[in-house]
Amino acid sequence: ERLVPPGIAIPPVPMQSDNRSTFVWAARYSADKDPLLFVEALRGARLEGAMYGSGPLADQIRAAAPTNVAVPGWASPELMWSGARAYVGTSTREAFGRSAVEAAMLGIPPLVASSFGCAEMLYQDADLANALVIDSRDPRIWREKMELLAEDDSLHQRASQHAKSRAIELSIDAAVRAVHVAAEKVTRSM
């Protein structure tokens, strides 16, 4: 038997990079993750993207990706997050969204579909939620939001700080502290 700890481990801190300009997509290369939405959103854009993952659509994604989108497969967290401006999650259904939470823990703001279970946990500020939680499958809307995050340093900073503070509450350490506090309350009430 193995005890699975609650929460998410905080990923290793990425190498510092002066050029944090890449929009990172990280998931299984499958239809429910909608990787081709990311590809189409970046087609013709002046933004850079990287798609980390593996799965049945790998060849199709590599063939469809424009020159500004790298499709390297899986990579270490240090490499994946080191140059990330933002995480982009295009899934059509996502019960939670581990990659979004890991990115947020590192101060990398997530731009996610409204289908992400973690969206309302990460963005409890209504203005940030309106700007960074997308309820559309239109690649033009996704591109507009990515361009906004690329150009608006104030929005980027606010989203980074807010999402990080919320994501840290989803860590293993935070879950253990919450269990400890709850156990103490039970003990005191006996």
Side-chain angles (χ1 to χ4, degrees):
E1 287 184 46
R2 182 176 152 235
L3 179 63
V4 177
I8 294 177
I10 297 173
V13 177
M15 299 177 301
Q16 293 301 314
S17 171
D18 293 335
N19 184 19
R20 297 180 69 82
S21 61
T22 303
F23 286 81
V24 171
W25 184 99
R28 188 175 62 257
Y29 296 151
S30 62
D32 63 314
K33 303 300 183 184
D34 205 358
L36 295 176
L37 174 57
F38 182 77
V39 166
E40 291 308 313
L42 286 175
R43 188 175 305 287
R46 286 186 245 148
L47 304 171
E48 294 178 18
M51 300 181 77
Y52 296 98
S54 65
L57 299 180
D59 291 339
Q60 183 180 355
I61 294 165
R62 285 187 178 96
T67 57
N68 60 325
V69 176
V71 187
W74 281 120
S76 69
E78 295 88 354
L79 179 63
M80 186 168 63
W81 299 123
S82 67
R85 175 75 175 176
Y87 165 80
V88 180
T90 57
S91 295
T92 59
R93 58 188 173 102
E94 193 71 53
F96 185 64
R98 184 182 183 96
S99 292
V101 174
E102 287 179 355
M105 285 177 168
L106 295 170
I108 299 165
L111 175 64
V112 295
S114 59
S115 61
F116 273 65
C118 67
E120 62 187 33
M121 294 176 209
L122 294 176
Y123 291 122
Q124 294 185 349
D125 176 290
D127 291 335
L128 290 173
N130 287 334
L132 301 173
V133 179
I134 303 175
D135 192 22
S136 173
R137 307 313 298 165
D138 184 340
R140 293 172 299 188
I141 292 172
W142 285 83
R143 180 189 299 181
E144 288 171 9
K145 299 292 187 169
M146 284 187 267
E147 288 171 342
L148 184 62
L149 266 177
E151 297 166 4
D152 188 336
D153 288 331
S154 174
L155 172 65
H156 185 273
Q157 186 66 23
R158 278 183 45 232
S160 174
Q161 291 172 349
H162 180 78
K164 183 175 183 174
S165 71
R166 303 302 310 140
I168 294 301
E169 294 303 313
L170 302 172
S171 71
I172 292 171
D173 289 344
V176 170
R177 281 193 303 274
V179 168
H180 179 74
V181 168
E184 284 184 339
K185 286 180 182 177
V186 169
T187 303
R188 276 187 251 134
S189 68
M190 296 178 145

